[in-house]
């Protein structure tokens, strides 16, 4: 249990055609309140925070889906930004291109 009751949750609405993840992992977690499960819980009042691995110095977040799926867009919201995404990856069969109004794209990679 996260300690958050149903009344305090700030759940976002699902986007039409959204693929629902079944699990999430991240490189390292320092606090139970910022675990990877929060990245996919739809609750805008929670968040995940992936700390860098000691061995590589890199932080990562891995999302698992129930089946192989074609992904056309990945939306990332950070820093209590409820109104709009911090960055978006738009994907084709060849590549995913990042768009960010905040200049964050050079610091992240989609694989």
């Amino acid at each position: 249990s996260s300690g958050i009751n149903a009344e305090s949750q700030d759940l976002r609405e699902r986007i039409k055609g959204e693929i629902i993840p079944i699990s999430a992992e991240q490189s390292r977690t320092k606090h139970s309140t910022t675990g990877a499960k929060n990245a996919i819980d739809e609750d805008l009042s929670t968040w995940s925070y992936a700390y860098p691995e000691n061995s590589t110095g890199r932080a990562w977040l891995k999302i698992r889906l129930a089946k192989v799926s074609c992904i056309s867009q990945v939306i990332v919201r950070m820093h209590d930004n409820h109104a709009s995404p911090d960055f978006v990856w738009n994907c084709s069969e060849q590549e995913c291109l990042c768009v960010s109004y905040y200049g964050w794209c050079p610091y992240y990679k989609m694989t």
Side-chain angles (χ1 to χ4, degrees), residues 39-54:
I40 61 171
D41 69 359
E42 297 177 68
D43 187 345
L44 295 172
S45 68
T46 66
W47 60 91
S48 71
Y49 190 96
Y51 287 87
E53 294 177 310
N54 291 330

Side-chain angles (χ1 to χ4, degrees), residues 19-26 36-37 39-40 48 60-65 74:
I19 299 169
I20 300 169
I22 60 170
S23 67
E25 300 174 48
Q26 62 192 28
K37 68 182 182 332
I40 61 171
S48 71
W60 53 265
L61 175 70
K62 182 188 293 186
I63 305 296
R64 293 190 191 279
L65 307 176
V74 176

